[in-house]
Amino acid sequence: VGDMTSDYSDHYVHNELNKLGYVRVNKGGREWFEGFKSDDEAIATLGKIISTSDNVELKEYTPRFYQELVKMMFEDKLNKISGKKNEFALELAPRFGKTLWTLDLMKTLFNEYGYKVALLPAFVLTALSSFEKEFYQFKGFVDSMVFVREGDDVNKVMNENYGKKMVILPISLHTEDYKKKYSYIHQLEMTEKVSFIDEADFGCHRDNSQNFIKYLNCGLDVYMTGTAIEKVVAPLDNVGDNVIRWSYTDMLMVQNGEHPVQKMFV
């Protein structure tokens, strides 16, 4: 699981995998398990188990210059907005490091802005797997946030952590009868909820997705995409000028020390 280390034995990890419903198979030896839907799920599951160790050692998340800069731009706009309902649209270049950047921002929104729940509504469900995988691999996230996994008792997680840790809840935008399933989310105070909609240019602009996202009733909706931000912004009513773009060209200019914004920090 990346650079993560702990004092847990193989026997302990195997028992925990069994408790989570993964089944031991005889293919390749006694340490093989099946039931994982993807490699990312396997990595995230092992990360979750190991992260509970008292002696776990995780690597530190150190943001790159442009990640810190975009976060500053985001917070600057956030501090200027008023009203209960606000939207952001972010077009962030490939290889920006969007997942870790978002997790770091969630932590800040919990610690400094009073948000207590971070929702991850997704039309493209593969966009969710990287969030959970990265969540368990870096220091500081598990201490102040909890990631709700498929099969977890959501009510129990909410009751135990609401207001104590940021509760991160993945949501499929393909959910049928979502008003019934997520009525408890709808009823939470909207100023305490933020949603991050990744790969927002795929399906999230459609009426059914927009109705679902609006039903979740978050005070802050953050739409993220790598391209086609115009398609993302078109159906939004409360985005205003809360649009941030960081292109691949911007990244290359920073890498070469040629970006105009770097002169501001000299």
Side-chain angles (χ1 to χ4, degrees):
V1 187
D3 295 334
M4 182 186 293
T5 60
S6 82
D7 59 348
Y8 281 164
S9 66
D10 290 351
H11 181 70
Y12 175 85
V13 173
H14 295 166
N15 285 341
E16 292 301 303
L17 287 172
N18 283 327
K19 289 178 184 178
L20 291 170
Y22 299 104
V23 180
R24 191 193 302 265
V25 294
N26 291 323
K27 303 173 185 176
R30 294 282 293 164
E31 295 189 356
W32 288 73
F33 284 77
E34 66 179 8
F36 299 103
K37 297 176 182 176
S38 66
D39 291 344
D40 282 349
E41 181 185 343
I43 294 170
T45 300
L46 291 175
K48 177 178 174 62
I49 293 170
I50 295 173
S51 68
T52 61
S53 167
D54 291 334
N55 296 316
V56 68
E57 295 180 10
L58 301 175
K59 55 187 175 182
E60 193 84 35
Y61 165 61
T62 303
R64 299 182 179 92
F65 168 79
Y66 53 79
Q67 290 174 320
E68 285 190 297
L69 176 64
V70 172
K71 185 178 179 182
M72 287 173 55
M73 294 164 64
F74 183 95
E75 288 194 71
D76 181 62
K77 289 180 177 294
L78 184 63
N79 290 327
K80 293 176 181 177
I81 59 179
S82 59
K84 280 193 168 185
K85 181 66 177 179
N86 295 282
E87 295 165 326
F88 275 72
L90 312 181
E91 186 178 73
L92 304 177
R95 309 188 75 83
F96 174 86
K98 181 174 57 200
T99 302
L100 283 174
W101 181 87
T102 303
L103 289 169
D104 180 60
L105 179 58
M106 287 179 184
K107 182 178 175 181
T108 298
L109 292 175
F110 173 74
N111 288 328
E112 300 180 21
Y113 292 88
Y115 290 92
K116 296 176 177 149
V117 177
L119 307 178
L120 293 174
F123 188 86
V124 180
L125 300 183
T126 53
L128 297 174
S129 59
S130 60
F131 278 95
E132 186 179 8
K133 182 182 72 173
E134 301 287 358
F135 177 77
Y136 293 109
Q137 292 194 47
F138 288 85
K139 187 175 182 180
F141 296 151
V142 176
D143 296 338
S144 58
M145 301 189 288
V146 58
F147 199 104
V148 180
R149 306 193 78 219
E150 185 177 352
D152 284 351
D153 185 333
V154 181
N155 289 328
K156 181 180 179 182
V157 174
M158 294 287 286
N159 290 335
E160 291 178 352
N161 296 281
Y162 194 81
K164 300 174 184 176
K165 288 187 174 184
M166 173 72 94
V167 179
I168 304 174
L169 178 62
I171 293 175
S172 167
L173 288 175
H174 303 280
T175 303
E176 297 182 6
D177 199 10
Y178 61 82
K179 291 185 178 181
K180 180 178 180 181
K181 182 171 182 178
Y182 292 109
S183 61
Y184 68 99
I185 292 293
H186 174 80
Q187 293 168 13
L188 295 174
E189 171 56 47
M190 68 182 300
T191 57
E192 297 179 352
K193 296 179 292 187
V194 55
S195 73
F196 288 89
I197 304 98
D198 197 9
E199 305 291 353
D201 53 320
F202 291 99
C204 296
H205 62 289
R206 298 176 182 173
D207 288 344
N208 54 349
S209 293
Q210 280 295 301
N211 291 337
F212 192 156
I213 293 168
K214 289 176 181 177
Y215 178 76
L216 294 172
N217 195 34
C218 294
L220 178 61
D221 293 323
V222 183
Y223 292 82
M224 301 185 295
T225 180
T227 57
I229 195 170
E230 294 81 5
K231 184 194 296 184
V232 174
V233 171
L236 305 184
D237 298 320
N238 302 285
V239 69
D241 65 349
N242 296 327
V243 178
I244 299 174
R245 281 176 150 157
W246 189 260
S247 70
Y248 193 67
T249 300
D250 288 315
M251 291 177 61
L252 290 176
M253 291 178 70
V254 167
Q255 183 178 327
N256 295 329
E258 300 171 350
H259 201 290
V261 75
Q262 288 173 293
K263 298 177 182 179
M264 298 169 54
F265 295 90
V266 175

